Structure formats: structure tokens, C-alpha cells
Amino acid sequence: MNEELLRSYLDGGISRAVYEKGEEILSGLTEAFAEADRIAEINQLKVLKAMQKNEVAAYHLYGTNGYGHNDIGRDTLEKVYADTFHTEDALVRAQITCGTHALYLALSANLLPGDEVLSPVGRPYDTLEEVIGIRPSMLSLAEYGVSYREVGLLPGSRFDYEGIRAAIGEKTKLIEIQRSKGYSGRNSFSPEEIGELIRFVRSVKPDVIVMVDNCYGEFSREKEPSDYGADMMVGSLIKNPGGGLAPTGGYIAGRADLIERCARRLTAPGLGKELGASLYATAPFMQGFFLAPSVTASAKKAAVFAAALYESLGFPVHPASSMQRNDIIQAVEMGSPAYLEAFCRGIQAAAPIDSFVRPEPSDMAGYADKVIMAAGAFVQGSSIELSADGPLRPPYTVYFQGGLTWPHAKYGILMSLQKLVDAGLTL
Ligand SMILES: *Cc1c(COP(=O)(O)O)cnc(C)c1O
């Protein structure tokens, strides 16, 4: 028993019983934590090597304004992303608003009227429903005459190869594969599983474009979907690759011809990648990318700890604490709105910013159900920072993610349990 540590937690509003429960669970996680560190080492060297190869220099960290012509820092950052992810090119911009925008950009830049996009992994992330036009929306792909098809997963989150083969046709131009489970009950896919799916779709239609929604997946494993043949990989900088420092932004890494189309969609035909002032973003983008492997490891430790803790209390958790992790998301079925809200209030109460705020369920742009969100973050809405959210629908699953540092994540998770205990849960 570490009396000084216990005293710190007691001072921080954690009861002795909750602290001791946490320590008991942690003692069984030595191997999982060592695995997270091993992967962080591999990815740290990957990022470092890309920075050294491209001779990142002090003067690269200054930004440009106006048109942003000859922005060598921005261009070098994009080369660092491309080399880290082993792709031909990358677009990494503050002008990309968020993950949804990056995905819309990649899709709308590479699909023309009459083309079809196919999701072979079931319904995509909630905000993509309006992007694609699954839920009718102004300026959706559907409005531009791009059609959509999906093939659901088989039990056990297995790919329905026969269904996929049947769904790929003349019009199928682009296959969208979402790595992370999002707000669904399926598994998140490993880069290897995604690679297997890519090989299959290529065997049916060799020239189909494969785009992977890599949100939350970056650096959680040794390799990325781009190492297994994805033509484009898309994500948000206020998730893993921003390392907690990126103040905004998104990225698309992949084949040079496809990235060029994305750049022209972001700016204008004839302008493409040449324009777009980086302002003050290059330094935090570069430094955040450098920190991202170890920040992602902290977030993975947080996810494993939360899984093991809530598993031991009888809550269904997904993935199980013992499973290989392919992203930083941990889902816990809270079973009731009261427990979902208590969990989120605990995460909020443990935050460095806005700890005094009480999260309430509310309507969110892009989401069909009311959502409760806990995010006491330095960067608004950042979900590489310790955060939790869940749609108000049975079984009241909380999706928990992030943690810039492991000590903060541990405190947040203990506080979530404390709030559940205060709401009537017995340990
Ligand atoms: C977060 C997320 C998105 C959307 O990103 P935003 O930055 O919230 O717009 C898309 N797909 C998946 C799987 C995500 O996790």
C-alpha cells in the first residue's frame, strides 16, 4: 500500500474503496502496459526517422500568411506524414475542420456523378450519414448523383465476402472501410484484417479506390492500413496524430494522384497543394505528431484500465481488457441513463479545464440521437484528451477515449467510478 499515493487520491475526492479497487485491477495489467509501450517505441522511431529524413529544421516551424505560397514548413510536415505512413503524399492542413470534413473531402474529391461508394463493413460513423446522403442532406454526395451501398458484417464482426463480391459492380468507384467501431457494437479492425479485405476487393475489382477512415486508429498498432494497400487514409488532428497539441485540422495520406484531387477540392482546381497558409499551426502539428505515439500509448493504457475495472464490476465492455487494441476507444455498457451520465460527470470532474461544468445530454449537429459528452479539454472537443461520450439510447453505452498522460487518465477513470458509487453502485 502506497500511503502517499492514497492520500493524494483521497485529497482528490476518491474514496479508499475506489482507490483500492483500482490498484487491485492495475496489478493485473503489467503485460498489457508493456505491450502499449513496445508499440509506442516502434512508432516513435518511425516518426523520428521521417523527421530526420526530411531534415526538419527550426525554420520550418514558422508559418506563412496570405496565400501561403512556398510554405516549406507545411510542405515538409506533409512529407513527414507521408513517410511515417509509407504513402506517396499527404495533405495535412489546419483548413481541414475535423475528421468528418477530411472524409467528405476525400470522398467528394474522388467520386463523380454516376459513381458508387461501397461500405463493406456496415453503416459508417454517424456524421457520414449526412455526408453520403443516407440521411438526406443539402450538398451530400447523393445530391451530386453519387450512390451508396453497404454490406453488413456477419456475426463476430466478420466480413461477408460473398455479399461484398455481389455488391461490387460497374459503378463501384470507391470502397470505404472504417477502422474504428464508432458508435456501434462491432469490433474495431486491425490493419491486418483491413489488409485482408483490401486484397479481396482488389481481387474482385483491381482498380477500385480503397479509402480507410483511420480515426482513432493511428499509432495504436505497429502498422497502419496504408501499409496494407489502402489508397487513402483519413483522420482528425484532434485525435491521435495531433498528439494533443494540434489546435485543429485533419489529414489525408495516400496515393499522389488522389491527394492532388483532395487538395484541389480543398482549395481550387489549378491551386491544389500550393496554397493554404499554415499561420501558426506547423509547430504544434509537428510537435504533436512527434508526441503522438506516446500519447496514444497513454490513451491505450487508459482504455485497458477502464475495461478491466468495469469488467470486474460486471459491466459488459467492448473490447474486453485482454483483447488486442486497434484504436483507443473503449465502450462500456452502462445499462441506464443515470450511470451513463454519472460516468461522464466523473470524467468531466477530473478534467484540467472546465472541471466545474456538469455535462447534460443534448442535440448535436450531425448526430441523430441526443448525446452526452464529457470533455474538459485544452482543445475544444479534442478526443485524444480524456473524454467520454455516448448517445442516449439503450444499452446506454459510454464511449471512452483519450488521456494525454496516464496519471491523468487513471484519476479520471477512478473519478468515473466514484460518481457511479455516489449514484448507488456497490463495489
Ligand atoms: C471521430 C470520427 C469521425 C469524425 O471525426 P470528427 O472530427 O468528429 O468530425 C469519423 N469516423 C470515425 C470512426 C470517428 O471516430
Side-chain angles (χ1 to χ4, degrees):
M1 171 66 65
N2 185 333
E3 283 302 328
E4 197 162 347
L5 186 58
L6 169 62
R7 257 198 313 282
S8 299
Y9 281 112
L10 291 173
D11 276 349
I14 303 295
S15 69
R16 175 185 279 266
V18 167
Y19 167 76
E20 284 175 355
K21 182 75 189 164
E23 293 308 289
E24 173 202 321
I25 296 300
L26 270 178
S27 66
L29 297 179
T30 320
E31 254 177 61
F33 277 35
E35 170 67 357
D37 286 334
R38 184 185 72 84
I39 290 171
E41 287 178 39
I42 291 169
N43 286 318
Q44 183 69 78
L45 294 190
K46 220 193 280 179
V47 172
L48 196 56
K49 198 173 132 202
M51 289 182 171
Q52 293 174 348
K53 180 188 158 200
N54 289 290
E55 301 188 332
V56 175
Y59 67 87
H60 286 147
L61 304 179
Y62 298 106
T64 55
N65 57 18
Y67 292 102
H69 277 299
N70 304 314
D71 190 328
I72 183 102
R74 175 198 67 205
D75 295 348
T76 304
L77 174 73
E78 289 179 337
K79 285 186 185 140
V80 168
Y81 262 70
D83 283 336
T84 301
F85 293 145
H86 307 130
T87 57
E88 290 173 3
D89 204 354
L91 191 64
V92 185
R93 301 285 166 125
Q95 287 86 358
I96 302 178
T97 311
C98 59
T100 305
H101 184 197
L103 288 158
Y104 180 54
L105 199 55
L107 290 168
S108 60
N110 289 290
L111 290 160
L112 291 171
D115 290 340
E116 188 158 88
V117 52
L118 169 69
S119 168
V121 296
R123 187 56 56 97
Y125 190 75
D126 294 44
T127 58
L128 285 220
E129 292 187 3
E130 286 193 58
V131 164
I132 293 168
I134 300 168
R135 274 188 285 139
S137 192
M138 207 189 293
L139 296 179
S140 67
L141 296 177
E143 245 195 20
Y144 280 102
V146 173
S147 56
Y148 168 76
R149 259 193 200 223
E150 71 185 35
V151 177
L153 294 165
L154 296 174
S157 303
R158 284 175 307 116
F159 303 129
D160 176 5
Y161 286 116
E162 284 323 301
I164 296 166
R165 185 195 300 282
I168 295 175
E170 189 78 7
K171 291 167 63 178
T172 314
K173 176 76 177 293
L174 186 149
I175 307 256
E176 184 196 341
I177 303 172
Q178 184 180 308
R179 175 173 180 178
S180 183
K181 62 176 164 286
Y183 292 130
S184 79
R186 69 162 169 89
N187 290 344
S188 295
F189 298 117
S190 68
E192 293 74 20
E193 286 170 311
I194 290 170
E196 206 181 291
L197 183 54
I198 293 173
R199 270 200 310 282
F200 178 77
V201 301
R202 286 259 160 71
S203 76
V204 180
K205 190 164 188 177
D207 61 347
V208 76
I209 299 167
V210 178
M211 182 195 86
V212 174
D213 175 353
N214 205 32
C215 282
Y216 289 129
E218 298 90 354
F219 300 128
S220 65
R221 292 290 307 281
E222 301 88 329
K223 291 198 158 87
E224 301 292 340
S226 49
D227 291 310
Y228 292 93
D231 297 306
M232 280 189 291
M233 205 164 78
V234 184
S236 163
L237 299 199
I238 63 168
K239 294 179 178 173
N240 309 15
L245 293 186
T248 185
Y251 80 90
I252 306 170
R255 243 169 61 190
D257 59 326
L258 306 177
I259 297 298
E260 177 59 25
R261 292 188 70 91
C262 296
R264 284 164 167 254
R265 189 63 153 155
L266 180 63
T267 58
L271 306 184
K273 289 190 82 183
E274 302 286 309
L275 265 63
S278 57
L279 300 173
Y280 307 102
T282 307
F285 281 5
M286 195 74 87
Q287 193 179 358
F289 199 54
F290 173 74
L291 292 180
S294 56
V295 169
T296 302
S298 296
K300 277 177 70 190
K301 289 175 186 176
V304 176
F305 179 50
L309 184 64
Y310 282 96
E311 212 167 50
S312 78
L313 295 165
F315 290 88
V317 304
H318 198 70
S321 62
S322 59
M323 266 177 80
Q324 173 78 265
R325 277 171 198 261
N326 294 300
D327 61 17
I328 62 166
I329 309 294
Q330 182 60 47
V332 184
E333 286 183 25
M334 302 312 299
S336 73
Y339 278 180
L340 171 59
E341 289 172 27
F343 186 105
C344 290
R345 285 178 185 141
I347 297 299
Q348 188 78 36
I353 309 294
D354 293 337
S355 59
F356 50 88
V357 167
R358 184 182 156 90
E360 297 286 349
S362 68
D363 295 317
M364 285 278 301
Y367 297 82
D369 293 285
K370 280 196 174 201
V371 179
I372 183 164
M373 293 198 164
F378 292 95
V379 172
Q380 188 196 95
S382 166
S383 48
I384 186 60
E385 300 185 49
L386 192 69
S387 51
D389 48 277
L392 269 278
R393 61 182 183 225
Y396 301 99
T397 302
V398 70
Y399 295 86
F400 162 88
Q401 64 271 316
L404 294 183
T405 73
W406 158 244
H408 175 236
K410 176 179 172 183
Y411 177 57
I413 294 159
L414 291 178
M415 188 56 90
S416 74
L417 180 56
Q418 186 65 53
K419 295 287 181 193
L420 282 160
V421 169
D422 296 346
L425 180 79
T426 46
L427 289 183

